[in-house]
Amino acid sequence: MKNLSELGQTEFDAFLDLFSDDRHEAGVRYERLRRGLLRYFIFKGRPDPPRLVDLTIDRLAAKSGQFDKEKSTTLEQYAYGFARRVAQEDGRLSAREVPLTGDEGHAEGAVEAVVGLDARCLRKCLNELDAADRKLLLDYHAVGGGQEKSFLRQKMFEDLNLTATAFYAKVSRLRGKLRNCIEECKRFEM
């Protein structure tokens, strides 16, 4: 699937033509759609709304050949179908992970980024881990994306003198331990 940035000029022009035959009006509608999608993802409470907007627009551009002006009411409504799907996928991915970022000082940024978790329970449970395990989890979740992520995680398990399987099993056990601690803490808070 091509990203919007990978489209050639003729492909991009064809994409804009879906908005309107008038180039100015097409640009205005495109920008209005971007702002609307941004508001949509913010309203949905999704982290990193600009990334989700770009992903939605990329998917829309890649599938623009399938848009039929006769069958669909507007391109904007068609785009919001993609946005709903992107939000659902992002929600499922976020639910699988307890995102942690930061340093040994307990990652105030991570506490703010964890949606729906009680910050006090997260801090308490992180403090209950031994220092090496806490550092491993924080370093594991502080890693960026793409090839950098793969390289840095490989370096982590090599530094710990573990195989990849043993490393990921250890991280999984630690995340499970942290998750159970947070759930137990929340039960006592209520």
Side-chain angles (χ1 to χ4, degrees):
M1 172 169 66
K2 285 188 177 181
N3 290 341
L4 193 58
S5 61
E6 296 171 348
L7 293 178
Q9 187 61 45
T10 55
E11 293 169 311
F12 183 71
D13 289 341
F15 175 64
L16 283 179
D17 286 343
L18 292 175
F19 287 98
S20 175
D21 293 332
D22 176 13
R23 186 62 61 212
H24 176 72
E25 182 183 342
V28 168
R29 286 181 61 192
Y30 172 79
E31 285 303 318
R32 189 179 314 135
L33 175 64
R34 285 190 70 80
R35 286 191 309 272
L37 289 171
L38 185 63
R39 284 191 306 271
Y40 174 79
F41 289 119
I42 290 170
F43 177 77
K44 287 287 189 182
R46 304 300 332 136
D48 198 9
R51 179 184 63 82
L52 298 177
V53 169
D54 290 342
L55 181 58
T56 302
I57 296 285
D58 288 346
R59 287 187 183 181
L60 179 63
K63 299 284 186 174
S64 62
Q66 297 176 4
F67 177 70
D68 185 2
K69 288 183 179 181
E70 306 302 318
K71 291 183 182 177
S72 300
T73 53
T74 67
L75 183 62
E76 287 83 353
Q77 289 174 334
Y78 186 65
Y80 279 97
F82 284 92
R84 278 189 296 279
R85 182 75 177 141
V86 167
Q88 289 170 345
E89 289 171 5
D90 187 61
R92 280 194 298 271
L93 290 174
S94 296
R96 291 184 192 150
E97 295 184 7
V98 177
L100 301 173
T101 58
D103 56 29
E104 193 62 43
H106 294 317
E108 289 299 321
V111 173
E112 300 302 324
V114 178
V115 178
L117 283 180
D118 183 6
R120 202 171 106 227
C121 286
L122 178 60
R123 282 190 196 101
K124 175 188 170 292
C125 292
L126 280 171
N127 284 328
E128 288 179 7
L129 294 174
D130 68 52
D133 289 344
R134 181 174 50 248
K135 180 173 179 6
L136 174 64
L137 271 179
L138 292 173
D139 289 348
Y140 179 84
H141 287 284
V143 174
Q147 289 181 333
E148 175 191 15
K149 177 177 171 177
S150 176
F151 173 76
L152 291 174
R153 288 191 175 162
Q154 180 178 356
K155 184 175 178 346
M156 288 173 71
F157 67 74
E158 287 172 354
D159 289 347
L160 293 170
N161 200 22
L162 296 171
T163 64
T165 304
F167 173 75
Y168 288 113
K170 180 176 178 103
V171 169
S172 180
R173 281 192 303 273
L174 287 172
R175 288 176 59 176
K177 184 177 178 180
L178 184 63
R179 186 178 303 111
N180 291 339
C181 177
I182 290 169
E183 289 171 3
E184 186 176 324
C185 174
K186 288 175 120 181
R187 262 185 270 145
F188 288 113
E189 294 252 329
M190 292 182 175

